[in-house]
C-alpha cells in the first residue's frame, strides 16, 4: 500500500488569535475528504487554541522547534513533553532559519530529533544547501552531512522521522527548485536513508521552499517527493487547500 503524503504548514512567526481562528476553521472544513495527512506547525502560544479548533478533525498539530532537553533551567525553551500535553504530533527541527539566526548545528539538530522521538513527537528534520553551496557544486555534500548527523544520532529509529528538503535559496524568496532539481536531492536522501534502515521507503521526504498552489502538483508528482512543508502559502486557506488537493 502506498504511504500517505504529508502536507505540513509552517506558519513561522505569524498569526493572531483572530486570524488563526478563521484559518484553522477553513482548513478543518476543507480537509474532510483529504487523502493525505495535513498538519499545521504553529507558534507555541497558539497550541491550545489550535488544539481546540482542530478537535474531532483529522488535522494534526505541529511545533516549529523543540528543545533537546526535556526539562530544567533552559529559559525560553519548550520541551517535547510540553508539546505532548497539547496534542502536538510533529516538531520541525533544524529549519534553515534556526540554523542561520540561532546558530543551530548539525549535532544540535540531531539531538533535538532524538529527544522528539523519545517523547512520541515526530521530528520534521530540515536539510538544504545555500545558494553559495549550490553554485560551488556542494549541494550533495552539504545535505548528506546534515542528514548523516541525524542518522548517526538516531540509529535504527531513523525510519520514524520525516525529512524536509528545503534549499535555502528557495526559502521566502519565491524561487522554487524545479521538480527535477528537487527529485535529484530527494533520491539521494532516500539512498542515504536506505543505507541506514530497511524501511527508507516509509520515510516521508517533503519538499519545502516556496511550494505554493501553482507549483505543488508538479513537485508532488516526483517519485521521491512525499509531501510539502509550506511557508507563506500555509497562511492562506485557499492556497493551502489547493496544495492539499494536489497531494492525493
Ligand atoms: C518556505 O516555504 O519558505 C519554508 O521555509 C517552509 O518551511
Amino acid at each position: 500500500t502506498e504511504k500517505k503524503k504529508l502536507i505540513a504548514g509552517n506558519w513561522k512567526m505569524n498569526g493572531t488569535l483572530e486570524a488563526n481562528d478563521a484559518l484553522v476553521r477553513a482548513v478543518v472544513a476543507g480537509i474532510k475528504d483529504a487523502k493525505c495527512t495535513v498538519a499545521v506547525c504553529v507558534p507555541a502560544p497558539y497550541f491550545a487554541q489550535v488544539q481546540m479548533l482542530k478537535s474531532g478533525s483529522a488535522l494534526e498539530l505541529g511545533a516549529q522547534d523543540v528543545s533537546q532537553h526535556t526539562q530544567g533551567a533552559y529559559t525560553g525553551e519548550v520541551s517535547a513533553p510540553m508539546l505532548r500535553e497539547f496534542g502536538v504530533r510533529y516538531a520541525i527541527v533544524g529549519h534553515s532559519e534556526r540554523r542561520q539566526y540561532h546558530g543551530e548545528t548539525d549535532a544540535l539538530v540531531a539531538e533535538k530529533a532524538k529527544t522528539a522521538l523519545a517523547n512520541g513527537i515526530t521530528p520534521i528534520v530540515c536539510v538544504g544547501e545555500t545558494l553559495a553551496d549550490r553554485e560551488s557544486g556542494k549541494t550533495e555534500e552539504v545535505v548528506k552531512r546534515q542528514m548523516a548527523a541525524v542518522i548517526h544520532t538516531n540509529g535504527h529509529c531513523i525510519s520514524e522521522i520525516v525529512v524536509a528538503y528545503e534549499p535555502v535559496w528557495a526559502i521566502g524568496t519565491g524561487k522554487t527548485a524545479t521538480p527535477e532539481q528537487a527529485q535529484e536531492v530527494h533520491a539521494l536522501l532516500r539512498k542515504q536513508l536506505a543505507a541506514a534502515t530497511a524501511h527508507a521507503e516509509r520515510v516521508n521526504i517533503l519538499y519545502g521552499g516556496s511550494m505554493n498552489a501553482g507549483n505543488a502538483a508538479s513537485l508532488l508528482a516526483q517519485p521521491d517527493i512525499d509531501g510539502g512543508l509550506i511557508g507563506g502559502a500555509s497562511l492562506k486557506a485557499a492556497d493551502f487547500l489547493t496544495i492539499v488537493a494536489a497531494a492525493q
Side-chain angles (χ1 to χ4, degrees):
T1 65
E2 211 159 85
K3 69 173 174 274
K4 276 192 187 180
K5 288 189 166 66
L6 168 62
I7 299 297
N10 174 11
W11 289 4
K12 307 194 180 182
M13 198 173 71
N14 294 292
T16 61
L17 290 171
E18 194 182 347
N20 303 344
D21 189 86
L23 176 56
V24 175
R25 284 177 195 280
V27 169
V28 163
I31 64 166
K32 287 214 169 75
D33 301 313
K35 304 257 184 345
C36 60
T37 304
V38 184
V40 285
C41 300
V42 312
Y46 298 133
F47 290 156
Q49 182 198 18
V50 177
Q51 182 185 30
M52 202 156 353
L53 285 168
K54 78 172 187 66
S55 80
S57 85
L59 182 63
E60 298 283 0
L61 181 53
Q64 297 174 12
D65 184 28
V66 65
S67 174
Q68 72 273 34
H69 305 291
T70 51
Q71 58 127 63
Y74 303 102
T75 302
E77 295 290 273
V78 176
S79 75
M82 292 172 189
L83 301 186
R84 289 281 302 186
E85 290 202 293
F86 290 91
V88 172
R89 172 159 172 204
Y90 297 100
I92 298 172
V93 300
H95 191 279
S96 67
E97 288 153 13
R98 302 287 318 168
R99 293 179 190 259
Q100 272 185 283
Y101 309 142
H102 300 272
E104 294 197 4
T105 61
D106 294 343
L108 177 63
V109 172
E111 284 300 323
K112 288 184 170 198
K114 186 176 182 176
T115 303
L117 283 174
N119 289 279
I121 305 276
T122 300
I124 301 176
V125 179
C126 300
V127 299
E129 81 288 0
T130 64
L131 186 59
D133 294 331
R134 179 162 284 268
E135 287 179 343
S136 56
K138 292 202 177 119
T139 297
E140 178 164 351
E141 177 190 327
V142 169
V143 301
K144 275 191 172 168
R145 187 201 71 219
Q146 293 171 334
M147 197 65 233
V150 181
I151 291 172
H152 175 78
T153 300
N154 288 274
H156 68 273
C157 293
I158 200 67
S159 64
E160 305 301 317
I161 73 167
V162 171
V163 177
Y165 168 55
E166 297 212 321
V168 179
W169 49 270
I171 291 177
T173 57
K175 284 186 197 162
T176 319
T178 64
E180 295 72 26
Q181 280 174 323
Q183 167 57 28
E184 194 182 341
V185 177
H186 281 234
L188 73 86
L189 288 168
R190 180 93 58 203
K191 204 168 143 202
Q192 190 177 3
L193 287 165
T197 170
H199 306 295
E201 282 306 319
R202 233 190 248 167
V203 177
N204 279 98
I205 307 181
L206 315 183
Y207 172 78
S210 300
M211 189 187 270
N212 59 41
N215 61 27
S218 60
L219 286 158
L220 292 166
Q222 297 296 315
D224 288 298
I225 300 185
D226 309 312
L229 184 58
I230 319 300
S234 73
L235 297 171
K236 296 182 197 123
D239 288 4
F240 190 58
L241 291 170
T242 299
I243 298 168
V244 168
Q248 308 296 305

